[in-house]
Structures are given as C-alpha cells and as structure tokens.
Amino acid sequence: MADTCGQVLLGSGLTVLSHPLMYIKVLVQVGHEPLPPSLGRNLFGRQVYQLPGLFAYAKHIIKIDGKAGLFNGLAPRLCAGTIGTLVHSRVLQVSGPSQKAEEGSLQHVVNEVCINLSSKTTKEMIARSCATIVTHPFHVITLRCMVQFIGRETKYSGVFDSIVTVYKNEGVLGFFAGLIPRLLGDVLSLWICNMLAHLINTYAIDDSMSHTGEIKNCSQAVTGFFASMLTYPFVLVSNLMAVNDCGLAGGLPPYASIYPTWVDCWRHLSLEGNMSRGNSLFFRKLPVGKTYAIDQKRFF
C-alpha cells in the first residue's frame, strides 16, 4: 500500500509538471495554429519557415488566459492518474498466480487465466488495459477541457459538471469516445517495447559486462521511446475521436471533420499526411501543400 501511495504522489507531481506540454500537444493535434509561420532555422542552421514551437505556443496561451490557463483540464487528469495507478496496482496483485483464492471469485478467475502466463508482459498488458478502460472517461473530459480553448467555450468547467454534460448529451458511450485506438496503441506499444528490450538484453548484452543493470535500463528506455513513436498514430486518432462532434468548435466543421468511426479518422489523416501531427513541438515544419487560414487559425 505504501508503494502504491508513493506511486500516486510521484505520478501526480509529474502530471502537474508535464500538463502544459500535454495541453499544447493536444491543441496542435486537433490542428489549432493560432500563430502564423515565422522565419527560423532548422537543425542544420538553414533559414526556413516554421510553425511556432512549444514556448511560443505557451506564451500565446498565457497572453490570453494567464499562467493558470496552461493547466486547463488538470483536475480530471489528476483523477485519471490516481485511479489508474490504483487499478493498475490492484490488478497486478489479483493476477498473481501465487495467491490463493476461493473458487468462483474474481481473483480465482483471473488466476485461471494467468496460470499458464509467466510473462510479465501479459500481466502488465491486462493491468494497463483495465486502468485505461476505467480512467478513459476522465481522459475524455481532460481533452475536452483543453480543446475549449479554440472556441473559447466553457461547456466543460469542472469534473462533476463535465460528467453530467457528457452523459446528458451523449450518454454512457460518450465517456468512451476514442477508447479502441487508445487500447490498441497501449497494447502494441507495450509488446513492441518489451520484445525489443528482450532481444537486446538477450543477444546484445553480455551478463559479464560491467554496469549490466544500467545498460539494460537504458535499453528499456530507448525501446520505450521507439515504441511510442511507432504507435503515435493511435494516440492521435484516439484524442481526435474523444473530441469529435462533441459540441465544441474544435471538433466540429468547418474546423474539423466529423468521423463516423475511428477508422474513418485514421484514413482521413493518412490521406492528408497528418499521421504525425503534434508528435514534435520543436522545429515544426510547414505541412506540404497546405495554406494557412489566418481567420480560422488552421491549415487547409
């Protein structure tokens, strides 16, 4: 229990620190470009037109909403992080095959499923998936609180009020908008990361080498970053579907298309070459073949 509380506190602190970064990333993902391109330099020192980066975007938000504006949507995100950590920890405990449980109980059923699964990856996948499903309603509310910046709405003003708003307008399904691509991305990222790390640790790292533990930890971090890059389109599609056609300007025409399913969203982004939109907040290149609309603050 003490370890879980420590994880919650650490996770909450990291969430607060990283929230402005996520806020700006989400606005870029939905295509909001409030600042026109400017002349800058790329990594090689050449002068090119670039889109505003993280700090320029942050200054723009502060200018409009103040420094507190960088933390729109923080409350539901903290709720999601806390609940997710508790669920993740609990599922890992329940799925432990060494624990005894009465026949017919939930723990017994989970143990039966995991009895032949010695892989930590499988247990981690189950724990992550459970945490993602339980916390997704808070994730949806977080994203909509952020996207309100585009149309200057106040439809989602608090956690409880937002829950009522989503249920009233969209029913229970509204809380799970964008869940499927998010789950798929999490599962693929986990398996890719662990598979690559296992291959590197098994065939590329010799146990007789010095600092073997540090090298393995480093390989895990590198493979995690690589896996997140490969599965980023699932994150993008999930976030777009969470705000699509929800009554906010950022999810409605003419600003954004309405997608019947997440597959349609994927196809549309793929055709336009926007599958990596928002992946980088530094040295952002102009989209090829697009024209910047000053009045709509987006490219079309």
Side-chain angles (χ1 to χ4, degrees):
M1 184 64 183
D3 292 340
T4 303
C5 291
Q7 292 175 5
V8 170
L9 292 175
L10 177 61
S12 297
L14 293 176
T15 296
V16 174
L17 293 176
S18 64
H19 192 77
L21 176 65
M22 179 187 174
Y23 185 21
I24 295 171
K25 179 181 283 288
V26 169
L27 291 179
V28 174
Q29 285 177 339
V30 298
H32 185 56
E33 298 292 348
L35 302 174
S38 60
L39 190 63
R41 295 185 180 276
N42 60 14
L43 288 172
F44 303 100
R46 294 177 54 189
Q47 283 193 337
V48 293
Y49 278 98
Q50 298 176 334
L51 294 174
L54 173 66
F55 300 110
Y57 216 124
K59 289 181 180 178
H60 174 74
I61 294 175
I62 293 174
K63 183 179 179 181
I64 296 176
D65 291 336
K67 292 182 180 180
L70 292 173
F71 297 92
N72 287 334
L74 177 60
R77 191 180 175 208
L78 285 173
C79 292
T82 301
I83 297 173
T85 301
L86 296 175
V87 172
H88 181 273
S89 177
R90 180 57 182 164
V91 172
L92 286 179
Q93 292 175 3
V94 171
S95 63
S98 61
Q99 297 180 5
K100 296 182 180 179
E102 295 181 1
E103 187 174 353
S105 66
L106 174 61
Q107 184 171 328
H108 176 75
V109 174
V110 176
N111 286 350
E112 287 297 319
V113 174
C114 297
I115 192 168
N116 294 321
L117 300 177
S118 58
S119 172
K120 292 182 179 180
T121 303
T122 303
K123 296 176 184 178
E124 178 67 19
M125 179 189 69
I126 295 173
R128 280 197 191 185
S129 298
C130 291
T132 297
I133 293 171
V134 172
T135 62
H136 194 73
F138 295 100
H139 180 68
V140 170
I141 293 172
T142 298
L143 295 175
R144 294 184 181 185
C145 287
M146 294 174 172
V147 173
Q148 285 185 141
F149 177 81
I150 297 174
R152 310 305 298 160
E153 297 108 334
T154 56
K155 188 175 181 179
Y156 299 89
S157 56
V159 177
F160 296 106
D161 289 342
S162 298
I163 291 174
V164 174
T165 300
V166 174
Y167 182 76
K168 183 178 179 181
N169 295 335
E170 303 168 64
V172 176
L173 292 179
F175 292 108
F176 299 97
L179 175 62
I180 294 178
R182 188 183 178 200
L183 275 177
L184 291 174
D186 284 348
V187 171
L188 286 175
S189 178
L190 177 63
W191 280 95
I192 292 172
C193 174
N194 286 358
M195 182 178 64
L196 292 177
H198 175 73
L199 292 175
I200 293 173
N201 294 338
T202 303
Y203 299 105
I205 299 177
D206 191 348
D207 291 336
S208 62
M209 298 170 58
S210 59
H211 307 292
T212 303
E214 290 82 352
I215 295 175
K216 288 185 177 181
N217 290 335
C218 182
S219 68
Q220 187 77 24
V222 172
T223 54
F225 175 76
F226 181 70
S228 66
M229 293 287 290
L230 289 178
T231 57
Y232 178 78
F234 289 95
V235 177
L236 175 61
V237 172
S238 174
N239 288 351
L240 292 181
M241 291 305 297
V243 301
N244 192 245
D245 195 20
C246 67
L248 299 177
L252 292 171
Y255 196 89
S257 302
I258 294 180
Y259 307 107
T261 66
W262 70 271
V263 177
D264 296 304
C265 179
W266 184 291
R267 289 173 179 170
H268 183 256
L269 292 174
S270 181
L271 289 174
E272 292 196 341
N274 287 329
M275 295 302 291
S276 62
R277 188 171 65 192
N279 193 21
S280 174
L281 296 179
F282 300 97
F283 303 105
R284 300 176 57 218
K285 298 185 297 183
L286 293 177
V288 180
K290 300 289 184 178
T291 302
Y292 181 72
I294 299 178
D295 54 336
Q296 297 183 16
K297 298 181 180 180
R298 69 182 182 95
F299 285 91
F300 66 93

